Amino acid sequence: MDTCRIPANASKCSGNTMECFMVLSTQAQKISIGILCGLFGTMCIFENSLVLYLIFSSPGIRKKPSYLFISSLALADILASIIFVCSFVNFHVFNKAGFSKEVFLLQLGGVNMCFSASLSSLLLTALDRYISISRPSEYKLLMTRKRAWTALGALWLTCATIAYLPLLGWNCCVLDSTCSELFPFVDDNYLSGWICFIVVLLGCIVYAYAHVLWRARQHVAYMEKHQAQAGKQNTRMRMDVMLAKTLVMVLAVLTLCWSPVLALMIYSIFARLSDHLRKVFAFCSTLCLLNSMVNPIIYALRSKELFSSLRRVFSHFRRQLKASEESPEAESTHKSSVIET
């Protein structure tokens, strides 16, 4: 087992430094974490998988750059849920720490990459709405599928690079520096840099949405004054306003779910965390799963295109179910008529 400098408030741990971060002390706490992770993780995987299916099964939807970014968000949430639940439950509930430093940093990097990609996908979606509303006449020229795929490739590459820096050597064991009180082997300076990266992303999203909402209010006022000019342009404006409001709801949920985690991360850099706060951080971490679970619900309720696609899927499923229920009766009727003949 790798050894490196551990937090001062964890000095009571002897030998295995990984045990210093297993903060859940009672069976009730472990069961609670296990239930939350299992429930949120399962729902998140199911809902985001449904979103991906609805998008890529509808040719008219999957061709739009906006839904490519939403697909990236759904994929990131699925991967984050799988990696987070497996590693988090394995570590905190089952207290399994018999793996190497490299394996742990590989898992932690996967979680950071996926959650960072989820947030970055929201940023691209915000920029897409920004361009759509601020320059509607040039939108199709500026936001092409090729540029959307290029942006997504750069997004995932950047998030992967930043997330796996500890595995590549920026960790407290290689640098012989002080480890974070929240994550084993993670250098405090790296944690500070990652927090800054997330805060910058949030700041860019807030700025983009502030402009989107401002332009959306202008569009609403324009439509109210020119209701006689109902046409394709007004329909496009209504779609932009609806999607802007939807994504603002996503951002609000994101902020509420991530604020406690980020606040405790920042606090851990400047002050020592008590055992109670470290337990609070463990429970607050599950809010990230809650955010990933709520996003698809917002899409289904607010996006008319996805909601229509969902209704078509359910209608097709009901028709198939009804046909399968009626087929045995039809077959028995046919057999009885043959016997009578």
Side-chain angles (χ1 to χ4, degrees), residues 64 260 317:
K64 298 181 179 180
F317 176 76

Side-chain angles (χ1 to χ4, degrees), residues 15 19 37 60 75 93 112 127 133 158 179 192 210 252 257 279 292:
E19 294 179 354
C37 289
L75 177 62
V93 177
N112 289 343
L127 294 177
I133 288 184
T158 302
C179 294
S192 301
C257 291
K279 291 178 183 179
S292 299

Side-chain angles (χ1 to χ4, degrees), residues 11-39:
S11 58
K12 60 183 179 182
C13 302
S14 59
N16 190 350
T17 60
M18 297 289 283
E19 294 179 354
C20 304
F21 298 88
M22 297 176 181
V23 295
L24 303 182
S25 56
T26 66
Q27 196 68 20
Q29 294 173 353
K30 295 179 180 180
I31 293 176
S32 300
I33 284 288
I35 292 175
L36 290 175
C37 289
L39 177 62

Side-chain angles (χ1 to χ4, degrees), residues 20-301:
C20 304
F21 298 88
M22 297 176 181
V23 295
L24 303 182
S25 56
T26 66
Q27 196 68 20
Q29 294 173 353
K30 295 179 180 180
I31 293 176
S32 300
I33 284 288
I35 292 175
L36 290 175
C37 289
L39 177 62
F40 293 163
T42 302
M43 292 298 297
C44 177
I45 294 172
F46 171 76
E47 292 172 1
N48 284 284
S49 298
L50 180 61
V51 169
L52 289 178
Y53 174 78
L54 293 177
I55 292 176
F56 287 99
S57 64
S58 304
I61 295 179
R62 67 170 179 258
K63 293 180 180 180
K64 298 181 179 180
S66 301
Y67 288 101
L68 288 179
F69 299 145
I70 292 177
S71 300
S72 175
L73 174 63
L75 177 62
D77 286 338
I78 291 174
L79 295 177
S81 300
I82 295 174
I83 302 174
F84 177 86
V85 170
C86 292
S87 58
F88 195 80
V89 171
N90 191 48
F91 185 81
H92 284 289
V93 177
F94 298 106
N95 297 138
K96 292 184 179 180
F99 39 79
S100 64
K101 175 191 68 178
E102 288 74 18
V103 173
F104 179 85
L105 292 178
L106 181 66
Q107 294 176 352
L108 182 63
V111 174
N112 289 343
M113 178 190 69
C114 294
F115 279 130
S116 299
S118 176
L119 186 57
S120 300
S121 297
L122 277 177
L123 175 59
L124 288 183
T125 310
L127 294 177
D128 174 75
R129 290 299 90 203
Y130 178 91
I131 296 173
S132 176
I133 288 184
S134 61
R135 305 176 70 176
S137 60
E138 304 175 18
Y139 173 77
K140 290 186 177 181
L141 295 176
L142 295 174
M143 188 56 67
T144 62
R145 283 177 57 85
K146 182 178 180 180
R147 290 182 177 179
W149 281 111
T150 302
L152 287 175
L155 177 158
W156 282 90
L157 181 61
T158 302
C159 292
T161 302
I162 294 175
Y164 284 108
L165 284 177
L167 182 63
L168 298 175
W170 191 354
N171 58 75
C172 55
C173 296
V174 174
L175 301 177
D176 193 25
S177 56
T178 303
C179 294
S180 167
E181 295 185 9
L182 296 174
F183 305 101
F185 312 121
V186 174
D187 179 70
D188 264 342
N189 292 327
Y190 169 79
L191 183 60
S192 301
W194 188 81
I195 293 173
C196 291
F197 172 64
I198 297 299
V199 171
V200 169
L201 287 179
L202 284 172
C204 293
I205 294 175
V206 170
Y207 174 80
Y209 278 132
H211 186 84
V212 166
L213 287 179
W214 176 63
R215 294 303 297 265
R217 291 188 62 183
Q218 288 186 330
H219 284 180
V220 171
Y222 176 85
M223 286 186 290
E224 290 176 351
K225 293 180 180 179
H226 301 81
Q227 290 182 356
Q229 300 178 0
K232 188 175 181 180
Q233 184 178 6
N234 282 351
T235 302
R236 174 61 181 273
M237 287 180 180
R238 292 189 191 97
M239 291 175 60
D240 288 339
V241 171
M242 176 65 72
L243 191 52
K245 292 180 179 179
T246 299
L247 296 175
V248 167
M249 291 175 63
V250 174
L251 178 60
V253 173
L254 177 78
T255 304
L256 291 174
C257 291
W258 276 83
S259 294
V261 173
L262 290 176
L264 287 172
M265 286 184 183
I266 295 173
Y267 182 77
S268 70
I269 296 174
F270 299 101
R272 294 181 180 179
L273 294 177
S274 63
D275 291 340
H276 175 71
L277 285 179
R278 296 170 74 192
K279 291 178 183 179
V280 170
F281 178 80
F283 278 92
C284 288
S285 298
T286 61
L287 292 176
C288 302
L289 281 178
L290 177 62
N291 170 71
S292 299
M293 184 188 74
V294 170
N295 285 344
I297 299 176
I298 299 176
Y299 304 151
L301 292 177

